[in-house]
Amino acid sequence: MKWALGLTALAVLLGLPTVLSGYAVTIFVLIFFYAFLAQAWNIVGGYAGQLSAGHAAFVGVGGYTAALLLDRGITPWLGMLVGAALAAVLGSIIGYLGFRFGLRGFYLVLLTVAFAEVCRILASNIDAVGGAVGLYITFTGNPRQFQFQDQRAYYYLALALMLLGTGVVALIERRRFGIYLTAIREDEGACEALGVPTFKYKMLAMVVSAFLTGLGGTFYAFYLFSLQPNTVFGIPLSVEIIIRAVIGGAGTLLGPILGSFILTPLGVPISPPHHQARLAMTAPEKRTAPAPISNRPPTRPAA
Amino acid sequence: MTRLTRRTFLKIAVGGAAVVGGPGAPRAQAKTFKIGAVHPVTGPLAEPGQACRLGAQMAVEAVNAAGGIKGKGGLKLELLVGDTQTKPENGRVEAERVVNQGAQMLLGSFDSGSTNAMVSVAQQKRVPFLIDIAAADPITANVAKSVKEGQQKVQYVYRNFPTASSFGRKAVQYFTEIFAEAKVTPKRVVLMYCNDLFGQSQSRGFLAAYKVAKPAWTLLEDDVIAWPEPPSDLSTEVSKAKALKPDVISPITRPASAQLLLPEIRKQRLDILGIIGPGSPGFYEAGQIAVLKDDVEYAMVSNPWANFKNPRTNQVADEYKKRSHGKTFDTNSGYSYDAILVIADVLERATNLDDADAIVDALKTTNYTGGLMQYAGPIHFNELGDNPNAVTTMTQILGQKAVAVWPREAALQKFVFPRPRA
């Protein structure tokens, strides 16, 4: 029954782009992409219960690596793996520091946020990676460069990423690895007393999670065509990732997907354009008063 | 009352989503030319984003009131507005949405990240895209490069706004000309900037342009002073600047940091010829002048500026002030307004409005002089798709009002430099 349901859902998702508009396809791309990131976070944050609030760092490392390698003529299909590997290295450093010294809960949150912030500040100040202005990727539509003229290619790519993430989590869940992670989340002390090498498994969870998130970074870079330290390393992106897993159900296989299906469309601006434009044109006096001008963010373009 | 179980919740959520996401009621409307205008109207950049949207709307109304696109049977323009929420991904989402709703051209989008995300939609779907505001050079240069290398057939992206590098070049040029006119050669110009994305890109552009120009005056390149934005206090930074014995302070501020910097320069009694910024907000806004009062008097800054010598600009600025509850017609509203005027001009000349490439052909041959902003010549697009005549203007606060003072053809008053000693 479960299999039949899953296969039907998959068949529907595979067939959807043929009937959907370009706009709806874009929203699905984001749903799958965030579901993938949330699924990756789910391994360490959901199953193992280690609250990482700095996953944006892995997205950034993955994206920047692939984009910079493309400048040197290396296709992002390869750069993606290099980026993910670097993200995994960063994950292991954060994991080692956090888990070796037994940081839990709030303290681990602080550590992970701190690392993401360090990455953001570094990227903002190193000219070789574009500094605060960031990197702008040339749109070529060349599949070798991880770019596509047809929007549906991104749809299938994002879907594949989501399925990959879910597949990895399903595999982990069914193995001793997954059971250990759940046990660590429920009672780490008891786990250790029973001889589970908790440090090792928490590290593994972090590395796998960081690797997958790093893969997502390349997709981000080549879907939006620019990388800015504030957007890819910033706390808001980390929160976007976590909140999907938490709302859908952290530590469950389908939770991140459900969360992304609920939250991603909500995050997209819902503005009935005809209505709004007409309102503004015919009754300007009805608009709400704008905020005062002083002490506001820049009134000039950011870059 | 039944308990809200997860299942009923999901049913409601899915039902709700279907209602929200479903197609709207069909509307019977006369044929219009739809322009998708995507700006950050909510989020951190909401204020400038709303200014852009209002500017574009007013321009659409003006074009329609004047009879629409006359060469095309009085075709009316219609704005399909979009909101990026200041997030790059929404630049892409909203561009897709407005194109899906029939937008035949795109306009936007203020921050360079969202704008570059929109570029991919324009190139993928072959929708001509006129950038009203976004300064990062690579946005148009990258597309031009990929067309040149044969990876894309047609460039659909054009920009009527100064590029980041031109901000720096123009600032250095104006500094040089103003110093020459005032017959002074400052030997110690100290650059101070807010260390964020905007401040970094502006200071970098200014330094790079200075290196290339090698002017007679001297910028202390090795003693550039940065502060973390937003700052809580700038007394240390100003003492550092004072220790450098500056002739001129050249600050790149945000509104909040300008409110700390300028009073501090007065308190520490810096003996300088004047304050001239290479380009940033913080000096010229009505609210800032009201707060800074005498501290901002005689301060100069080089920014995109409206051409108030043009009577039409003054008319539009008055209307804008009414409709925006007292705001100035500035960079944001002005460039968005002009973008619509340029589009109207392009549509008049395009041979076939249903063919994107015909619109692009008309864009490429643009030679438009009706813009309300200050330009160095007619609006036209170079091989990169940028308007080389979109330039900044040096403004100075004189009598508690921001006034254009340089270049000469834009000046409404003669600049006061060196500033009178207190």
Side-chain angles (χ1 to χ4, degrees), chain B residues 238 242 263-272 419:
Chain B
V238 173
K242 190 179 180 182
E264 197 59 43
I265 289 177
R266 167 178 46 84
K267 279 184 213 153
Q268 299 201 20
R269 299 175 184 212
L270 265 67
D271 185 20
I272 48 177
R419 66 178 189 186

Side-chain angles (χ1 to χ4, degrees), chain B residues 29 70 77 86 115 160 192 198 206 261 298 312 395:
Chain B
Q29 279 181 335
K70 296 184 194 84
L77 302 182
T86 324
T115 308
N160 182 38
M192 303 179 77
F198 170 73
F206 185 58
L261 183 77
Y298 303 116
R312 191 171 166 199
T395 57

Side-chain angles (χ1 to χ4, degrees), chain A residues 21 26 34 124 127 132 136 138-140 148-149 151 223 225 267 269 273 276 296-303, chain B residues 44 47 53 83 85 89 92 96-97 100 112 116 123-124 135 142 146 151-152 167 197 200 204 254 303 332:
Chain A
S21 69
T26 311
Y34 277 114
S124 306
D127 285 346
Y136 289 85
T138 310
F139 178 79
T140 58
F148 308 93
Q149 200 68 40
Q151 173 78 343
Y223 186 61
F225 298 93
Q276 229 177 48
R296 300 282 301 172
T299 52
R300 284 275 316 280
Chain B
E47 190 183 324
R53 180 185 280 186
D83 175 13
Q85 300 175 335
E89 63 195 46
R92 180 149 194 162
E96 288 277 359
R97 182 175 59 79
N100 201 38
S112 295
N116 215 38
Q123 288 295 126
Q124 272 180 332
N142 278 352
S146 92
Q151 288 176 306
Q152 292 281 297
F167 269 96
L197 192 150
Q200 275 191 23
R204 207 189 283 171
R254 297 280 200 177
N303 273 330
N332 312 317

Side-chain angles (χ1 to χ4, degrees), chain A residues 20-27 29-30 33-34 71 121 123-142 145 147-154 220-232 236-237 240 244 247-249 252 258 261-262 264-303, chain B residues 6 9-10 13 20 27 29 34 41 43-48 50 53-54 57 60-61 77-90 92-94 96-98 100-101 110-114 116-120 123-126 133-136 138-139 142-143 145-146 149 151-152 161 164 167 195-202 204 254-256 259 279-282 284-288 291 302-304 323-325 327-328 330-332:
Chain A
L20 288 180
S21 69
Y23 171 54
V25 167
T26 311
I27 295 194
V29 170
L30 289 179
F33 173 64
Y34 277 114
D71 277 349
I121 291 164
S124 306
N125 287 289
I126 299 175
D127 285 346
V129 301
V133 181
L135 296 175
Y136 289 85
I137 296 161
T138 310
F139 178 79
T140 58
N142 181 354
Q145 299 183 357
Q147 303 183 15
F148 308 93
Q149 200 68 40
D150 190 341
Q151 173 78 343
R152 282 172 294 191
Y154 289 104
Y220 182 99
F222 289 88
Y223 186 61
L224 298 176
F225 298 93
S226 73
L227 290 164
Q228 280 119 17
N230 288 350
T231 41
V232 287
L237 180 59
E240 295 267 359
R244 281 167 174 80
I247 298 274
T252 61
L258 182 66
F261 265 88
I262 295 173
T264 309
L266 287 181
V268 173
I270 302 171
S271 50
H274 288 85
H275 173 68
Q276 229 177 48
R278 209 179 298 144
L279 189 79
M281 280 178 202
T282 52
E285 70 282 4
K286 281 188 188 161
R287 260 194 312 277
T288 48
I293 205 159
S294 62
N295 276 330
R296 300 282 301 172
T299 52
R300 284 275 316 280
Chain B
R6 194 181 59 174
F9 170 75
L10 280 180
V20 172
R27 294 177 177 86
Q29 279 181 335
K34 297 188 178 69
V41 278
L45 295 176
E47 190 183 324
Q50 286 177 9
R53 180 185 280 186
L54 181 57
Q57 277 172 348
V60 164
E61 290 165 38
L77 302 182
E78 183 184 349
L79 215 55
L80 299 177
V81 293
D83 175 13
T84 67
Q85 300 175 335
T86 324
K87 287 198 274 188
E89 63 195 46
N90 285 333
R92 180 149 194 162
V93 171
E94 288 291 86
E96 288 277 359
R97 182 175 59 79
V98 290
N100 201 38
Q101 287 172 334
F110 196 79
D111 68 292
S112 295
S114 311
N116 215 38
M118 285 175 72
V119 165
S120 56
Q123 288 295 126
Q124 272 180 332
K125 307 231 147 154
R126 302 174 61 241
I133 298 180
I139 298 175
N142 278 352
V143 183
K145 183 172 155 240
S146 92
E149 288 171 356
Q151 288 176 306
Q152 292 281 297
F161 193 73
F167 269 96
N195 195 6
D196 60 4
L197 192 150
F198 170 73
Q200 275 191 23
S201 98
Q202 285 294 87
R204 207 189 283 171
R254 297 280 200 177
Q259 289 190 12
S280 66
Y284 60 85
E285 300 86 343
Q288 290 289 109
V291 173
S302 167
N303 273 330
R323 291 182 57 168
S324 65
H325 301 269
K327 291 197 185 169
T328 329
D330 62 4
T331 311
N332 312 317

Side-chain angles (χ1 to χ4, degrees), chain B residues 330-369:
Chain B
D330 62 4
T331 311
N332 312 317
S333 37
Y335 267 105
S336 297
Y337 196 101
D338 275 5
I340 294 289
L341 296 185
V342 171
I343 289 176
D345 170 68
V346 166
L347 299 182
E348 290 282 5
R349 291 180 292 107
T351 50
N352 176 7
L353 298 191
D354 292 321
D355 178 9
D357 291 357
I359 296 178
V360 166
D361 287 340
L363 259 166
K364 281 184 182 162
T365 52
T366 300
N367 191 25
Y368 183 67
T369 50

